[in-house]
Amino acid sequence: METFLAAKEQIHICGSVLDEEVAFRYMLHREKHLQRIREDISHKFGIIKTWMNRQEGFEWIEPQGGCVCFPRMLHPEKIDIDRFYDILLRKYGTYTGPGHWFEMPRHYMRVGFGWPTVQQLEEGLDAMTKSLGEATRI
C-alpha cells in the first residue's frame, strides 16, 4: 500500500499537458460555464439545506461555499454506525465519506452535492434518513 500511495502521489503531483490545455481553454470562457455551475450548485445546496431543516437525525455547520458538507449524526450513541454505513451502501446504493477519512469520528460524514444529479441527490438524502432509522438501536 505504501508503494502504491507513493506511485499515486508521483502520478498526480501535477496535471498533464493535455489536462492543463483543456482547463486553460475552459477558463477562457469561464463566465459562460461558471454561471451555469454556480446555479446548479446553488440549487443543490438548497435541496440539502431543506433536507437538513426537515429531518431530525443529523446536524451540521452550514457551509458557506463549495459543493460539500459535513453533517453528523445528532445522537450517535443511539445508532449502530457500522450498520448505518452498511445499509446506506448495500441497500440504497448511496455512499458518503465516513468521518474517519477526515480524522473525525465515524458519525460525521462528507456529502458531496456538486456531482450527482438532482434526482440522485434527493434519493441519496432520503437513503441517509432511512438508513439512520434502520440502524437505530432499540
Side-chain angles (χ1 to χ4, degrees), residues 26 29-37:
Y26 189 87
H29 305 283
R30 66 181 163 264
E31 291 311 313
K32 173 185 169 188
H33 299 299
L34 293 179
Q35 182 61 33
R36 177 180 44 81
I37 292 168

Side-chain angles (χ1 to χ4, degrees), residues 15-52:
S16 73
V17 173
L18 180 60
D19 292 341
E20 290 178 8
E21 183 65 23
V22 169
F24 171 73
R25 293 189 181 270
Y26 189 87
M27 292 304 289
L28 288 175
H29 305 283
R30 66 181 163 264
E31 291 311 313
K32 173 185 169 188
H33 299 299
L34 293 179
Q35 182 61 33
R36 177 180 44 81
I37 292 168
R38 283 186 188 115
E39 289 170 4
D40 182 60
I41 290 172
S42 178
H43 176 67
K44 290 174 183 173
F45 176 72
I47 291 169
I48 287 191
K49 187 172 179 175
T50 298
W51 175 77
M52 285 297 297

Side-chain angles (χ1 to χ4, degrees), residues 14-132:
C14 64
S16 73
V17 173
L18 180 60
D19 292 341
E20 290 178 8
E21 183 65 23
V22 169
F24 171 73
R25 293 189 181 270
Y26 189 87
M27 292 304 289
L28 288 175
H29 305 283
R30 66 181 163 264
E31 291 311 313
K32 173 185 169 188
H33 299 299
L34 293 179
Q35 182 61 33
R36 177 180 44 81
I37 292 168
R38 283 186 188 115
E39 289 170 4
D40 182 60
I41 290 172
S42 178
H43 176 67
K44 290 174 183 173
F45 176 72
I47 291 169
I48 287 191
K49 187 172 179 175
T50 298
W51 175 77
M52 285 297 297
N53 289 335
R54 288 184 180 160
Q55 57 73 46
E56 298 176 356
F58 296 96
E59 62 183 354
W60 69 346
I61 295 174
E62 185 178 312
Q64 300 302 302
C67 57
V68 297
C69 59
F70 210 66
R72 65 181 177 196
M73 296 172 191
L74 188 56
H75 298 289
E77 70 282 358
K78 297 178 181 179
I79 307 299
D80 181 332
I81 295 173
D82 290 332
R83 187 164 182 247
F84 166 80
Y85 285 113
D86 188 60
I87 293 168
L88 187 63
L89 180 59
R90 294 183 193 274
K91 184 173 181 179
Y92 296 107
T94 300
Y95 200 71
T96 63
H100 70 278
W101 289 0
F102 307 95
E103 299 180 4
M104 297 295 287
R106 284 180 51 83
H107 70 282
Y108 287 77
M109 65 206 68
R110 180 187 179 276
V111 176
F113 53 91
W115 179 257
T117 64
V118 168
Q119 180 180 348
Q120 290 169 330
L121 178 61
E122 289 172 340
E123 289 172 357
L125 296 173
D126 185 54
M128 287 174 61
T129 300
K130 290 177 180 175
S131 297
L132 192 69

